[in-house]
Amino acid sequence: MRQVTVQLFGAFSELDPGREIAVDVAGGRVADLRAALQALLPLRWPAFRAGLLEYSAFSDQQRVLRDDDALPDDGRVAILPPVSGG
């Protein structure tokens, strides 16, 4: 188990005034972080649209990460919800 700091953007920034949360992750891939958040969001923030997580991307300081990518060594990841505009 490792702790990952998730920086929150867009709709996710509503979850915490500091715009980041610590998440315990069993595993070392981005998919493991996504699974941990899928379990955590409904428990800590039941009113949040947890389905948004399915369409959101994760990134480190330099690139967008895919689910099969390893979590960054520094344990810091940003979650990026989809963006739409007109």
Side-chain angles (χ1 to χ4, degrees), residues 44-66:
R44 282 187 59 190
W45 300 279
F48 186 74
R49 303 177 309 266
L52 184 62
L53 182 62
E54 293 177 39
Y55 304 103
S56 297
F58 293 90
S59 72
D60 62 14
Q61 294 293 326
Q62 296 160 6
R63 65 187 176 97
V64 173
L65 303 169
R66 301 198 181 274

Side-chain angles (χ1 to χ4, degrees), residues 56-85:
S56 297
F58 293 90
S59 72
D60 62 14
Q61 294 293 326
Q62 296 160 6
R63 65 187 176 97
V64 173
L65 303 169
R66 301 198 181 274
D67 278 354
D68 287 337
D69 288 340
L71 291 167
D73 291 337
D74 68 359
R76 295 189 65 80
V77 175
I79 187 166
L80 310 167
V83 177
S84 64

Side-chain angles (χ1 to χ4, degrees), residues 33-44:
L33 172 59
R34 189 182 300 274
L37 283 168
Q38 285 173 331
L40 179 66
L41 288 175
L43 294 176
R44 282 187 59 190

